[in-house]
Amino acid sequence: MKYESVIGLEVHAQLLTQSKIFCGCSTQFGQAPNYNTCAVCIGFPGVLPVLNKKVVEFAIRAGLATHCEITRSSRLARKNYFYPDLPKGYQISQYELPICANGYVDIDLDGTSKRVRLTRIHMEEDAGKNIHDGHGDSSLVDFNRAGVPLLEIVSEPDMRNPAEAGIYLRTLRAILQYLDICDGNMEQGSFRCDANISIRPQGTDALGTKVEIKNLNSFKAIEKALEYETARQMDTLSEGGKLIQETRLWDENKEQTRAMRSKESAHDYRYFPDPDLLPVVIDEKWIDEIHTSLPELPGTRRSRFLSQYALPLYDAELLTSRRDIADYFETAVTIYPNAKAISNWIMGELFRILKERKLDQQLYIKTWPVRAEYLAELVQLIDQDKISGKIAKMVFDALVDAERSPQTIVKEKGLEQVSDVARIETSIDQILAAYPKQIADYRGGNEKIFGFLVGQVMKSMQGKANPQKVNEILKAKLSCTIST
Amino acid sequence: MELTLKEVQHVAVLARLRLTPEEEKQFTEQLGRILQYMEKLGQLDTSQVEPFDHAATSANAFRDDIVSNTPNPAAILANAPAKEQTFFRVPKIIE
Ligand SMILES: [Zn+2]
């Protein structure tokens, strides 16, 4: 029997607020343990949480960008369970009446669009962090993260294989990054994912027994875990076994999932509306204000890049995957409209430097190693035959952190391309005179020699000769020599 | 509504309460009586009444996104039964 997997994802996105969701503590990452804590987020008796308005605004932004209905009057609720990283014995979250519901995200599967429906987006507080290992009979608890605002974004089980799940996550992450509400850093845990997966015979509609997978800390882990789990479930069924609904942990080292010891009461959270927090009422005016402030989103921008700049899908996708890169590209193209050439330089040389300097870990790069206007000018110099492609790479490297334009650098270093026929001829004549044996070989039919000769000419002219001209003149001269 | 012994035991587990068999029996009876009393509300016709989920009549008590707390981990940890550096220390968590 052929099976397909049915995958739904739950994403926890940490919001880029300055302060926590219910108190004035900082959300800064990497502080000393329990430095960013107070009576409210530690859950001392008698304290009153007050909702951070920015969290509501960010939730509405996310909801509008993913075509959700915004709930006009939503509630915060208590989710009750005991765990040492949860200081109050309950997490403030949303249950009934989440702030956003019934949205969707369109994902691109090699040029065809697929719609992944969103069940809901709700606001909640993060828990603290436990350290289990290396402290004997104890675990240590750090509450810096407790009370940091999260959006939980729940999809419908609309994905049919691990690759689709990966694309959905990348798409969703890009949207949140464009909206400037989440930095999407999976390593630091500001973009986390749990997956629900079941399998069923292809062509059937009923849902199988679903398994929840936790501890997925990278895109690679997510795709691998889902592949492993699909195979495991298929094996179990084909061997006549039965699947049970359970939570499994992904083990990065062993590359397999394992069952968590489940307590039967684990999912009995006894949600109820939090009496400490007032309803959140959102009017039309607020929604309109946020709507008009939304940036152009990655999907729309990608389509526009395809039509406006006639870029290949690959380029459009890569350039629009980050708002800063897309902005950089458009700045350069406005100055000099050779879109494809500029795109090539960005995807090649610029990306290399961003990686080297780890600048790609920033959410939005403000200071570029090479200014967009300089890159535009560089491409223009190549197009005008003022420098060769090879020299252009040198100029590009010289542009890094430079306050001088490509033209200035070319002039200063005397890198202008030589297209002057007389100068090229002189150089070619010298080379022809220096390599009589190779020329005889060439005459004898060894065409590879041609490339060697071009190389020698370029070398003698320090790479500055116009390669096209060198090719033409050399060919003409060699055929002359043959005929005489 | 009659409450079963099993339900009381379940709630006790969720609330991390250790009850003696006598207490379980006693609470089953008492909680059952309370629930029975609350069931009187079910006799009212509420088909025309909006669901009520908050005692306050206002909405939207917000704060601005400003860091206003001066960190004081020593004070936060002062009442901790056990600590290590500036961590809270708890019995080892398994799983
Ligand atoms: Zn706090």
Side-chain angles (χ1 to χ4, degrees):
Chain A
M1 204 184 307
K2 263 203 113 165
Y3 287 100
E4 66 177 2
S5 32
V6 178
I7 300 165
L9 298 171
E10 254 181 56
V11 165
H12 286 92
Q14 188 182 315
L15 296 176
L16 287 170
T17 55
Q18 298 296 309
S19 65
K20 291 187 177 180
I21 182 168
F22 298 119
C23 64
C25 286
S26 167
T27 54
Q28 207 188 355
F29 184 82
Q31 290 284 10
N34 292 303
Y35 187 77
N36 293 336
T37 57
C38 72
V40 176
C41 55
I42 287 286
F44 283 3
V47 296
L48 189 67
V50 185
L51 182 57
N52 185 337
K53 193 175 182 185
K54 195 126 234 171
V55 173
V56 181
E57 190 191 311
F58 282 2
I60 299 172
R61 277 170 90 81
L64 291 176
T66 53
H67 314 276
C68 286
E69 294 153 18
I70 307 299
T71 309
R72 295 315 145 103
S73 181
S74 92
R75 297 285 183 283
L76 290 141
R78 292 184 181 182
K79 176 182 180 176
N80 300 280
Y81 65 97
F82 288 110
Y83 205 67
D85 64 9
L86 191 72
K88 297 188 291 295
Y90 60 86
Q91 177 193 27
I92 304 178
S93 178
Q94 295 195 282
Y95 188 55
E96 293 167 316
L97 303 169
I99 187 159
C100 313
N102 304 323
Y104 63 85
V105 170
D106 286 332
I107 61 171
D108 185 86
L109 308 171
D110 287 324
T112 49
S113 179
K114 166 164 181 159
R115 184 154 292 180
V116 175
R117 292 167 300 154
L118 296 186
T119 319
R120 59 189 278 150
I121 299 177
H122 72 242
M123 308 175 280
E124 64 183 26
E125 59 179 341
D126 207 347
K129 210 174 120 193
N130 300 318
I131 295 164
H132 303 296
D133 297 326
H135 300 276
D137 289 340
S138 303
S139 291
L140 304 182
V141 192
D142 170 12
F143 289 114
N144 281 345
R145 217 178 53 186
V148 165
L150 301 177
L151 287 186
E152 181 174 316
I153 303 166
V154 184
S155 88
E156 291 284 309
D158 283 351
M159 286 146 282
R160 292 293 168 268
N161 56 58
E164 278 182 22
I167 294 167
Y168 162 77
L169 284 174
R170 287 188 174 86
T171 308
L172 180 64
R173 187 173 75 151
I175 291 172
L176 300 179
Q177 289 173 327
Y178 263 64
L179 294 173
D180 223 355
I181 63 176
C182 172
D183 67 18
N185 189 327
M186 292 186 95
E187 263 167 56
Q188 289 183 3
S190 47
F191 186 85
R192 312 198 278 270
C193 173
D194 298 334
N196 286 304
I197 175 168
S198 60
I199 59 166
R200 67 182 174 200
Q202 224 158 34
T204 60
D205 285 336
L207 292 170
T209 306
K210 79 171 177 192
V211 163
E212 188 184 11
I213 315 176
K214 288 184 177 288
N215 199 30
L216 302 168
N217 299 325
S218 67
F219 286 118
K220 217 174 79 193
I222 288 158
E223 289 181 28
K224 270 193 181 160
L226 289 170
E227 269 156 26
Y228 174 87
E229 195 51 32
T230 305
R232 187 191 70 85
Q233 294 186 12
M234 281 199 278
D235 288 351
T236 309
L237 290 187
S238 67
E239 284 159 14
K242 254 190 116 176
L243 293 165
I244 47 167
Q245 186 164 343
E246 61 181 344
T247 301
R248 299 177 71 86
L249 283 182
W250 173 244
D251 188 322
E252 188 81 61
N253 298 321
K254 291 188 185 149
E255 298 204 339
Q256 58 190 39
T257 63
R258 64 179 161 83
M260 278 176 78
R261 260 168 295 176
S262 57
K263 298 169 201 111
E264 45 187 330
S265 55
H267 288 291
D268 194 345
Y269 293 128
R270 294 146 295 143
Y271 286 94
F272 62 89
D274 192 321
D276 283 346
L277 289 148
L278 292 175
V280 177
V281 174
I282 300 160
D283 59 12
E284 215 60 47
K285 191 173 153 271
W286 198 5
I287 295 176
D288 285 347
E289 271 171 27
I290 293 173
H291 209 185
T292 47
S293 76
L294 290 185
E296 186 184 26
L297 293 166
T300 322
R301 204 167 193 186
R302 189 187 60 221
S303 307
R304 184 167 65 76
F305 274 28
L306 288 172
S307 56
Q308 187 177 339
Y309 303 115
L311 288 171
L313 182 63
Y314 177 83
D315 296 44
E317 220 155 68
L318 208 58
L319 293 176
T320 56
S321 64
R322 291 177 60 122
R323 184 146 74 115
D324 50 1
I325 302 276
D327 288 348
Y328 181 94
F329 168 80
E330 291 209 279
T331 308
V333 170
T334 314
I335 293 165
Y336 181 68
N338 185 345
K340 180 57 185 147
I342 288 171
S343 165
N344 288 345
W345 279 94
I346 292 175
M347 296 189 302
E349 300 302 303
L350 187 68
F351 275 14
R352 176 177 56 82
I353 292 176
L354 296 184
K355 265 218 180 86
E356 274 169 20
R357 299 192 167 187
K358 298 200 159 110
L359 284 168
D360 54 347
Q361 287 174 9
Q362 290 179 17
L363 178 59
Y364 191 99
I365 301 167
K366 289 198 184 77
T367 313
W368 294 89
V370 173
R371 289 201 219 162
E373 50 265 47
Y374 287 172
L375 181 64
E377 198 185 304
L378 181 70
V379 171
Q380 190 173 15
L381 290 177
I382 304 166
D383 286 356
Q384 292 169 339
D385 276 344
K386 290 199 175 142
I387 51 173
S388 66
K390 209 169 188 177
I391 294 287
K393 286 222 160 96
M394 278 172 55
V395 177
F396 182 88
D397 287 337
L399 279 172
V400 175
D401 301 327
E403 289 303 316
R404 292 163 309 162
S405 74
Q407 288 212 42
T408 315
I409 290 174
V410 166
K411 259 195 208 120
E412 271 178 15
K413 302 199 171 181
L415 298 170
E416 288 101 334
Q417 177 157 275
V418 179
S419 300
D420 178 54
V421 175
R423 277 179 67 190
I424 295 174
E425 274 187 334
T426 312
S427 173
I428 288 180
D429 288 343
Q430 284 164 4
I431 296 299
L432 290 180
Y435 295 100
K437 192 183 163 296
Q438 280 78 357
I439 290 163
D441 273 6
Y442 179 76
R443 280 189 191 142
N446 187 351
E447 304 215 336
K448 278 185 198 154
I449 297 293
F450 188 76
F452 167 78
L453 294 171
V454 170
Q456 292 307 313
V457 175
M458 292 304 285
K459 201 172 149 194
S460 79
M461 296 185 72
Q462 293 102 50
K464 288 185 285 185
N466 180 332
Q468 224 178 317
K469 288 254 156 63
V470 172
N471 272 305
E472 280 167 25
I473 298 169
L474 185 63
K475 217 163 231 159
K477 283 204 182 257
L478 283 169
S479 63
C480 269
T481 327
I482 290 165
S483 60
T484 48
Chain B
M1 191 182 101
E2 285 285 314
L3 202 61
T4 65
L5 188 67
K6 230 176 148 187
E7 284 169 318
V8 170
Q9 286 165 342
H10 177 64
V11 172
V13 168
L14 290 175
R16 302 289 191 274
L17 294 173
R18 204 171 291 143
L19 303 181
T20 63
E22 291 75 38
E23 283 170 329
E24 283 174 357
K25 216 176 134 242
Q26 185 192 359
F27 292 145
T28 306
E29 220 169 86
Q30 287 180 348
L31 289 170
R33 277 212 302 276
I34 293 168
L35 288 174
Q36 253 163 20
Y37 181 69
M38 294 304 287
E39 264 177 3
K40 277 189 185 171
L41 289 172
Q43 293 163 15
L44 281 173
D45 174 15
T46 55
S47 57
Q48 303 301 313
V49 182
E50 278 285 303
F52 175 88
D53 56 19
H54 210 289
T57 48
S58 57
N60 293 0
F62 295 133
R63 37 174 285 274
D64 289 329
D65 182 28
I66 293 165
V67 176
S68 56
N69 285 351
T70 315
N72 189 353
I76 290 296
L77 287 151
N79 292 326
K83 55 197 155 193
E84 192 168 319
Q85 298 148 29
T86 60
F87 284 104
F88 289 91
R89 192 151 61 76
V90 298
K92 182 129 186 146
I93 306 158
I94 306 156
E95 180 157 277

